[in-house]
């Protein structure tokens, strides 16, 4: 996206973002717990909870971007992997589309998970 969230700009960086309230569970509306997927509005691809609810492990390794940051994969080697999206305990600024964090594969937390995905079967 070109905005903080798929539905627009960030209104408040902390726990009172009215735009994020519509699309993601975070510190402002989650009451310190996760929720079943699809309880809030989807993005234009029909995906739910891409901001908030649980941080998601992604395949990319964590490191500085080299050049274009459009769909980056990170460095070719290293143990630290990227988590994205923010979680139910996160501030609104941590749920931004461009935000990412890095954690070791053995890292565990109640607001970190993963999304099962596959290419379309034809």
């Amino acid at each position: 996206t070109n905005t903080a969230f798929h539905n627009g700009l960030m209104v408040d960086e902390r726990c009172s973002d009215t735009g994020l309230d519509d699309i993601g569970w975070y510190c402002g509306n989650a009451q310190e717990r996760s929720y079943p997927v699809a309880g809030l509005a989807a993005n234009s691809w029909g995906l739910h909870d891409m901001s908030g609810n649980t941080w998601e492990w992604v395949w990319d390794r964590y490191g500085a971007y080299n050049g274009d940051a459009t769909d980056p994969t990170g460095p070719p080697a290293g143990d630290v992997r990227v988590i994205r999206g923010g979680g139910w305990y996160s501030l609104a600024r941590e749920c931004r589309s461009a935000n990412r964090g890095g954690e070791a594969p053995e890292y565990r937390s109640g607001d970190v998970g993963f999304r099962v995905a596959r290419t379309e079967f034809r």
Side-chain angles (χ1 to χ4, degrees):
T1 69
N2 293 323
T3 57
F5 308 116
H6 70 81
N7 67 338
L9 299 173
M10 186 171 8
V11 177
D12 179 84
E13 291 186 354
R14 300 185 64 70
C15 297
S16 297
D17 192 285
T18 54
L20 184 54
D21 284 343
D22 295 334
I23 63 166
W25 301 109
Y26 73 115
C27 64
N29 63 1
Q31 300 174 336
E32 298 187 3
R33 68 181 186 94
S34 63
Y35 289 81
V37 174
L40 298 172
N43 66 17
S44 58
W45 291 281
L47 299 172
H48 293 267
D49 299 328
M50 299 305 290
S51 297
N53 208 16
T54 60
W55 289 87
E56 293 182 5
W57 288 105
V58 298
W59 185 255
D60 305 345
R61 291 182 176 91
Y62 186 79
Y65 292 147
N66 293 322
D68 188 10
T70 301
D71 198 18
T73 58
D79 293 331
V80 177
R81 296 293 180 152
V82 173
I83 57 174
R84 286 193 170 274
W88 54 262
Y89 194 72
S90 298
L91 299 170
R93 68 174 173 252
E94 296 170 313
C95 299
R96 292 177 304 111
S97 299
N99 188 54
R100 66 191 180 109
E103 296 292 349
E106 60 273 5
Y107 177 76
R108 301 291 181 266
S109 175
D111 69 344
V112 175
F114 68 97
R115 182 178 300 256
V116 178
R118 64 169 282 178
T119 56
E120 182 180 4
F121 180 75
R122 293 183 183 213

